[in-house]
Structures are given as C-alpha cells and as structure tokens.
C-alpha cells in the first residue's frame, strides 16, 4: 500500500512538472518503486529487469536524448480534455475488468490448473533445472523466447537504421 | 571529467563487480532468478557506466561499435542455430534432449546456448542504441 501510494505520488509529480530533467529522474524512481512492487509479488526476475532497464538504461538513454534537446517541456497546443476523457474511460474499464478476475493467488483458477502443474512437476525430471521460470522460458516455451529475441533484434536494427541514417546525412549539408 | 577522482576510482572499483554479477545472473539462471535478458541488461549497464565516467571514446576503444553491431544478429543466430541443431539430432525445432548423451544434459546444453544467444542480442542491442544516441552532437 505504501509502495502504491508512492507510485501515485511520483506519477502526479511527473504529470505536473514541466522540467524534463526532473521528469527523467522521477521516471527512474518510478521504475525502482515498480521493481519493489514486483519483489513484493515474488516476481524477482521481472523486478530485476524493471530495475536495470527502467531505472538504469532508459534513464541514461533519456539523459542522452535530453542533452540533444531542450530541458523544458513546451506548453501543450491542444486542450487536455479529450486525452483526459480517454484515459479516465480506459482506467475505469480496466478497474471494472479486475472485478471479474479470481482473487490473487487462488489455486483452482484456470491459470494454476491447466498446464502449470505439469511444468512444475516435469521441470526437474525432464530438464534438470530447479528454477521453473528458466525451464519454461528456455525449454518448454523456447519458441516464444526466440520470438522475443527476434523482436529485440528487429527493434534494435530499426532504431540503428533511423539514427545512423540521420548521422550520415549530416555531413552532406 | 579530469577532477572527478572519486567518481573514476569508484567506477573502476564497481565495474568488475557489475560484470561478475551479470555473469552470475547469466549462469546461475538455472537455479536462481535471472537469465539471458537480465544478464544482458546488466552487462550493457556496466558499459554505460564506463562510457559515462570515462567518456564515449574510451569505451568505444574497449567495446568497438562494429563488435556490438555484429552481436545484435549473432545472438539470434545462436538461438536459432540451437534450434536447427536440435532438428539435426532428429527431434523438433528447439527440443534439446539429444544434444548430449542423455536428456538432462542435452536440456542443460540447449538452455545454456539459448540463454547465451539472448545475452548476446540483448546486450548488443542496448549498447548499439546507446552508442547511436550518445554519439550524436547537439545541433
């Protein structure tokens, strides 16, 4: 509860502030808080990723981009009414959706009764890996992970193409 | 960065530990939390720290951009190559059971290679994007 209130406070800070440097630092703090929430939920792998990507790498990249641009956000040109309406409606629909979910950690939900127990029981005899997260990620669902790696590869190549082309075009001017 | 003795010495002191922690997360992922994604990001973060403290030129001499750009597709190739190797042993794509003398060791090898592929692509992509962003000048 304390973590969630802090998350809300940081979010309000990000929305209210106009100084981009402060916003980047607050986003880093937000990621650290999110990582703490993930640890509370026992998702240590996700927490590790959130802390290193969200708080570490993206903060550094944002600061690098900030060096190339101005540090003050320009005033919005549109009225904030429509975006506010869209996000309020989306939030309300999402909260309404959570009422249909089973309570957190229930043992007899489809998630916990379908194929999960097979993985839990089969991980040691079939793969010899005690950490079921790793055996599911790399062995049982290796195809999905190959897809994820390809997504990272494609995204990286796309970003590199955009940035490199800009850099190469500059000396011609 | 001439006068920041504390920063430079602390970074020199911390960097090996970050790299070793990255390797620990990579190779201990079978037993504890972690794996290729997390380890790749941690290794990339170590390179970022080096670039921030010692300057981009120094870092590019240690980790040349061409190596990083080769790493990006290399990891995917290692991953997919492991899958093809599994087909060679007579099983389905990415079924590692026949990669070694018995099923457990085959799975161990397969997971190791696949995680190595993920590590290479993730860290390569992160560092390549960082080089591309940080290497540009303010207009």
């Amino acid at each position: 509860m304390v973590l969630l209130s802090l998350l809300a406070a940081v979010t309000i800070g990000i929305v209210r502030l106009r100084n981009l440097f402060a916003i980047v630092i607050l986003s880093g703090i937000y990621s650290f808080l999110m990582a703490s929430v993930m640890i509370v939920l026992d998702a240590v792998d996700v927490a590790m990723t959130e802390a290193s990507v969200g708080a570490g790498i993206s903060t550094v990249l944002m600061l690098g981009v900030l060096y190339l641009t101005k540090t003050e956000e320009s005033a919005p040109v549109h009225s904030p009414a429509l975006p506010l309406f869209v996000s309020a409606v989306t939030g309300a629909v999402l909260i309404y959706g959570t009422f249909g979910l089973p309570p957190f950690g229930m043992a007899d939900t489809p998630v916990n009764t379908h194929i999960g127990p097979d993985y839990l029981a089969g991980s040691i005899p079939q793969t010899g890996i005690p950490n079921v997260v790793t055996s599911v990620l790399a062995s049982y669902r290796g195809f999905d992970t190959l897809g994820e790696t390809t997504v990272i590869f494609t995204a990286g190549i796309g970003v590199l193409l955009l940035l490199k082309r800009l850099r190469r075009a500059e000396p011609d001017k | 960065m001439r006068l920041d003795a504390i920063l430079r010495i602390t970074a020199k002191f911390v960097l090996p530990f970050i790299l070793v922690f990255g390797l620990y997360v990579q190779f201990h992922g079978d037993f504890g939390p972690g794996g290729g994604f997390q380890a790749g990001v941690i290794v990339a973060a170590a390179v970022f720290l080096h670039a921030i403290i010692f300057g981009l030129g120094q870092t590019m001499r240690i980790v040349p951009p061409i190596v990083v750009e080769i790493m990006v597709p290399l990891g995917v190739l290692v991953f997919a190559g492991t899958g093809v190797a599994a087909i060679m042993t007579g099983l389905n794509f990415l079924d590692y059971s026949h990669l070694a003398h018995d099923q457990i060791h085959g799975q161990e090898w397969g997971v190791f290679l696949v995680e190595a592929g993920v590590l290479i692509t993730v860290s390569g992509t992160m560092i390549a994007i960082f080089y591309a962003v940080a290497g540009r000048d303010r207009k």
Side-chain angles (χ1 to χ4, degrees):
Chain A
M1 203 60 198
V2 175
L3 284 173
L4 291 180
S5 334
L6 280 171
L7 272 180
V10 170
T11 313
I12 292 170
I14 291 175
V15 173
R16 299 286 302 171
L17 276 174
R18 284 261 163 261
N19 187 329
L20 290 176
F21 183 76
I23 290 177
V24 169
I25 300 301
L26 277 179
S27 315
I29 295 173
Y30 183 90
S31 290
F32 265 123
L33 288 171
M34 207 62 206
S36 313
V37 173
M38 291 302 173
I39 286 179
V40 171
L41 292 174
D42 278 342
V44 190
D45 297 74
V46 187
M48 219 181 232
T49 315
E50 177 70 45
S52 44
V53 177
I57 287 185
S58 56
T59 306
V60 172
L61 284 181
M62 285 295 189
L63 289 177
V65 173
L66 212 56
Y67 170 75
L68 301 171
T69 60
K70 291 183 291 185
T71 53
E72 283 295 314
E73 192 180 343
S74 54
V77 283
H78 300 289
S79 140
L82 182 66
L84 188 66
F85 175 73
V86 170
S87 43
V89 168
T90 315
V93 168
L94 286 175
I95 290 172
Y96 176 71
T98 59
F99 292 138
L101 290 175
F104 181 72
M106 282 273 280
D108 57 349
T109 57
V111 179
N112 289 331
T113 53
H114 180 51
I115 200 165
D118 295 347
Y119 289 152
L120 287 176
S123 181
I124 297 252
Q126 285 171 4
T127 66
I129 296 172
N131 182 8
V132 186
V133 175
T134 300
S135 66
V136 170
L137 206 78
S139 184
Y140 291 116
R141 294 295 174 96
F143 211 85
D144 295 7
T145 312
L146 176 61
E148 284 170 32
T149 315
T150 314
V151 166
I152 293 176
F153 162 74
T154 318
I157 293 292
V159 171
L160 284 183
L161 275 175
L162 285 171
L163 291 175
K164 292 252 161 167
R165 194 178 57 187
L166 283 175
R167 195 196 294 170
R168 206 167 297 149
E170 266 160 29
D172 300 341
K173 273 190 284 186
Chain B
M1 285 286 164
R2 285 288 92 181
L3 297 170
D4 299 335
I6 296 176
L7 276 179
R8 274 188 288 130
I9 291 169
T10 313
K12 266 185 193 167
F13 202 74
V14 166
L15 271 171
F17 288 103
I18 297 179
L19 285 173
V20 170
F21 181 65
L23 291 177
Y24 167 78
V25 168
Q26 168 78 9
F27 294 116
H28 207 254
D30 292 5
F31 309 100
F37 283 98
Q38 289 83 357
V41 173
I42 291 170
V43 169
V47 176
F48 282 30
L49 176 66
H50 189 277
I52 291 172
I53 302 294
F54 300 101
L56 199 60
Q58 292 278 345
T59 312
M60 280 188 173
R61 227 182 298 160
I62 300 170
V63 189
I66 184 72
V67 171
V68 174
E69 281 166 25
I70 290 171
M71 277 164 75
V72 177
L74 181 70
V76 180
L77 279 179
V78 169
F79 201 134
T82 311
V84 174
I87 293 183
M88 300 287 196
T89 63
L91 291 174
N92 286 330
F93 187 63
L94 289 173
D95 187 345
Y96 326 121
S97 295
H98 286 185
L99 286 180
H101 55 281
D102 64 8
Q103 186 183 353
I104 299 284
H105 285 89
Q107 291 285 341
E108 203 172 283
W109 266 104
V111 170
F112 171 79
L113 288 172
V114 158
E115 296 276 13
V118 173
L119 168 89
I120 294 170
T121 288
V122 170
S123 55
T125 307
M126 296 291 172
I127 299 170
I129 292 176
F130 175 67
Y131 279 174
V133 170
R136 302 181 66 188
D137 292 324
R138 197 201 285 255
K139 277 180 203 148

